[in-house]
Amino acid sequence: MRQRSGSAGPRPSNQCQRAQIPTTKQVAIVLSDSEEDSDVVEVVEQVFSSTFPLTGNSNKRARGAIESRVVDARPVRRQRQSKQEDDSEIEEVVVHSISQPVQTTSNTGVVVEQTCRNTKEEVTRPIEYPQHVEPLSIEPVELDTRLLEPETQLEKNACVVSATSPTPSNNPGNERPAALDTNPQTSERQMYLQIFDRIQQTVMHTESHLFSPYEQQTLVEFSNLDRHSRYLYTRIFMRKQAWLRTSSLNYGEQMVIDQSCKYLTTQPNTEPFLHSETNISSCEDALSLLLLPELKTLAKKKGIKQVSKPKEFLCAALLKTIKQRTVTSFFQKNKGDSVQQRQDEFIKSVLQVTGPVVRLNPLVSELFERLHLVFFRSATHLGDSNSIKSAVLSEIGQIRFPSYTVMRSPDLFASRDAVVQYKQLVEVGYEMEVLLTSLVKETEQHMKGWEMFVEHQSEWHMLLETLRRPKSPAQKVGGIEQMSRVYWRRHFTAGWALARIAERGARFAANTKQFARERDVLESLLSQDAFRLGKRGEWHERLILLHTTHLRPKGTSVEARAQTAEALERAKRACVRALDDVHVNRISLHAISRQLRTIETKLGVSPDERIEHPRMCVEWQMPLERVVFGMRVRNIRRGPSVWDGSDGIPCSVEQLALWRYRELGYTGIHSENTLATTLFVLLFWDIVFCPLPGVLDTEYQSQPLDMGSESFYFSRRAMIEQRLAEISDGHFVQSIGDVYEKQHGVECVGVSWDLPCDQLQTIASCLGGQRLSAICRVLATEYRLKRSGFPDLCLWNAQTKHILFAEVKGPNDKLSETQRDWLDILVTSKIDVEVCHVRDGDARDTENV
């Protein structure tokens, strides 16, 4: 068995053994190079005639393939997609050449040489299927020790698969890919299938060790389905996990859909891909299939009078009738009338209304979810993420992704268990995040979230114990600066997901007023320095607040005052501990410094005895302020304030301020954060999309996976510092124009193509190299934190080359901490900036200009 490059070990070659004849009789194909083409045709036709007889044009198609020295073929029965399709589309023959070494290019661009047989020897290849293997048992979460190794050793061990994004190389000129069919609907279906197959083939090529033999066999069975069935499953997979009427599946002709559903619900060798109506065992599931008019009709038949009530009421009333025996059934003692029988009858009556229904088989859908998780490096089945649809839009030319070199790391996940654990914990974290969106007064929802954390609390403590064990210098967990790429890989471990669960558990404890438990969870988070280092500042702030407010005893007794002083001392020590933490960001440092000064004041510490720390940042450097007036539209009660514009058209508070600045001779735009992020990405385009292992893993990314991570800067520090020096020297105007012209319209994070190129170049020229470099440095080091909070307005005078930024605030609006930090950065960098307060009134002559 030939072992592929980058594989975890020997495994069956999908390219050579994909087409297998599913029969109990073993078939041997014996050929040699001396055989004539007619002999090849005769041998293979004998095999076909004893297994799958071909008819019509498909036989001609198979003969043409065989005459091309293709010997292993298997016909797959297909349904017609439309009446206009040719008879040759009813059946598909999957062929693979084994007469000579073949070079195949995988979907990621990797060239793999396959030698399917020795041309001088006879080869006998029986049909083999992977044996059924039960899912592996999941052991307690353990820290991946590979992530404790030095970065150089990890890079040496990693087997990186390099490929090129199809936009620049495989598709010159960023042209639209050629469609496989002139029918747009057919072309879209083919794209869905191509991308679904590409995901499977890419993962199976380098990361098949993350799936058991039985799971691999399930994927093979899916690939062997006809295209109509595969397309139907693909579209159902992209929908919510719910029962669906087959009559509502508008993915082709109904006859074809019904036949595909039959294939998908009956699989002899593996789990069925779909469940049919025979798997409905819950009356709640049956009721979810009914529309409101159908519910009302059914309620009338069951004797429910209040049919005008909402759907929830009708469902509850119908479920109540199932549990109650009728008067007639009470006297029919010889006939059984159990609750289960009434439920079965009720489900049968519902199915008479809905017709056949299907639902994803949870076991199989979980396999595909894990497959997509490994491919996209994110849980695409959670939230509103729809990576497959974005990939389809990219393939048909509706959107364009940046051009870059794809580099997949086949050892990103340690094992199958690691992927299963990571996926399960990510799903738990997502459910907790959804619960956090509930109002604070909805105590039941927040208690449910806390209980979810308690269920995983033992795993979290086991992980902390693992991190506390003594380690050798080579295994010592390093910070972001020393082990930036290794730190980024921790995002895909169970430990990282557990840290997210613990963080959200602390928030649930706060919302349910369990402040002592919240303190314990925060202390556990701060006791480790391996995961989520960028959140440590927020954890320190909250812990200090707990000591000073929520955990401080109430009352004025002597004992209460002593306990209060003790709590303030603990808070003071927590402030010093936070200032010593190198992972605390600027915004948190300002907040903690102010907290420390407040605590010292309450403790009565004299100014001479106050703590002086080199990282203390007590005061922001605030800019000048300006006040302008306008007429506010009174009939708007919700949402942003609306003002009477200078042209009589209602406008926002930012637009009103922009009118005032234009009267002062400025040209301006309301751009907020998009201006800064657009300039940054355009100037650092090649560095942002630099091919680093584990950050550009698919062709469908608008940003590297670590763009918002703390390790982004340290992974590219040398390149970033060199680019910052070039910008400071004045080499940036031409670079903006070149990248803008070449990449215009590409889907890229932070870039707004609505900003004209000449306008961006003018603003950059007015800023100058030194000041533009200062803004870019902030975004390069703290992109996640600093992608918001930039001033609302950018104003400039083309003649004088003067530029001014303005943060606009309406009545009762206050500056956020992020906005204060940006204003401080701009003032420190000697960039003119001011805060513009808009007031309601007519006294424009009192404006301080």
Side-chain angles (χ1 to χ4, degrees), residues 338-349:
S338 64
V339 175
Q340 184 61 45
Q341 288 176 329
R342 291 195 294 271
Q343 288 180 352
D344 295 340
E345 293 176 359
F346 181 80
I347 294 174
K348 185 177 180 181
S349 63

Side-chain angles (χ1 to χ4, degrees), residues 628-634 636 640-657 660 808-811 813 837-841:
V628 300
F629 293 87
M631 297 298 296
R632 189 171 182 176
V633 179
R634 299 294 181 181
I636 304 297
S641 59
V642 179
W643 301 76
D644 187 9
S646 299
D647 53 359
I649 300 176
C651 63
S652 64
V653 64
E654 292 85 5
Q655 290 295 328
L656 179 64
R660 298 290 183 264
V808 182
K809 290 298 175 185
D813 288 343
H837 298 279
V838 179
R839 299 288 182 261
D840 190 7

Side-chain angles (χ1 to χ4, degrees), residues 773-789:
S773 175
I775 295 176
C776 291
R777 177 179 292 278
V778 173
L779 290 171
T781 54
E782 296 181 295
Y783 185 84
R784 181 180 63 85
L785 294 174
K786 295 303 189 299
R787 60 187 174 187
S788 62

Side-chain angles (χ1 to χ4, degrees), residues 624 626 657-669 759 766 793-806 832-834 849:
L624 299 176
R626 181 187 299 271
L658 194 57
W659 278 104
R660 298 290 183 264
Y661 281 108
R662 286 176 180 172
E663 294 173 357
L664 300 176
Y666 285 101
T667 301
I669 56 174
Q759 196 174 79
C766 293
L793 305 181
C794 177
L795 312 154
W796 68 91
N797 189 310
Q799 285 74 28
T800 62
K801 296 293 184 180
H802 179 256
I803 190 167
L804 171 69
F805 293 98
D832 291 340
V833 60
E834 61 185 30
V849 179

Side-chain angles (χ1 to χ4, degrees), residues 18 138 159 311 344 353 529 668 699:
R18 178 182 177 185
I138 301 175
C159 181
K311 186 175 182 178
D344 295 340
V353 178
D529 58 355
E699 303 92 328

